[in-house]
Amino acid sequence: MNNQLTVVFDGQAEFAGGAPQGEIRVIFSEGCSADDQIKRMVEEDLDQKNCVVVSDDKDIFLYARALGARIMGVAAFTSKLKDIPLRQDSDGKYISLSRQEKINKELRGFWLKDKQ
């Protein structure tokens, strides 16, 4: 992953089972709102013009844009993720999100059909 991806949730990690480890940085707002945490992160970013904030919240959208960050709606962001390889194994194979969704749908149909 060339860029760091950070996801901010309201609440405390202890009530959500802890922050997952891996390529995505997960932050819980712990005592403030996720909106305030996101605003603070954009303010403190040393390279705001290369910071991309993904949100459908109008207040966050306008605040981030006023600070010079790039902004993107959730639908636009998720549509860009559909065919991006998530992880490559040592042999170079990967499964895109759209392929994962298709496989999961087929497996649900297979397993749910057998359970009925």
Side-chain angles (χ1 to χ4, degrees), residues 6-13 25-44 53-57 59-61 63-64:
T6 303
V7 180
V8 181
F9 292 106
D10 279 311
Q12 298 178 343
R25 181 176 165 212
V26 177
I27 296 175
F28 292 87
S29 59
E30 311 247 0
C32 68
S33 73
D35 290 0
D36 289 340
Q37 180 68 36
I38 293 166
K39 289 176 181 179
R40 187 169 29 259
M41 291 172 68
V42 174
E43 289 169 1
E44 294 172 356
V53 176
V54 178
S55 180
D56 286 335
D57 183 290
D59 183 48
I60 294 294
F61 199 85
Y63 190 86

Side-chain angles (χ1 to χ4, degrees), residues 43-54:
E43 289 169 1
E44 294 172 356
D45 194 312
L46 299 175
D47 193 15
Q48 291 172 340
K49 66 180 170 69
N50 286 316
C51 175
V52 179
V53 176
V54 178

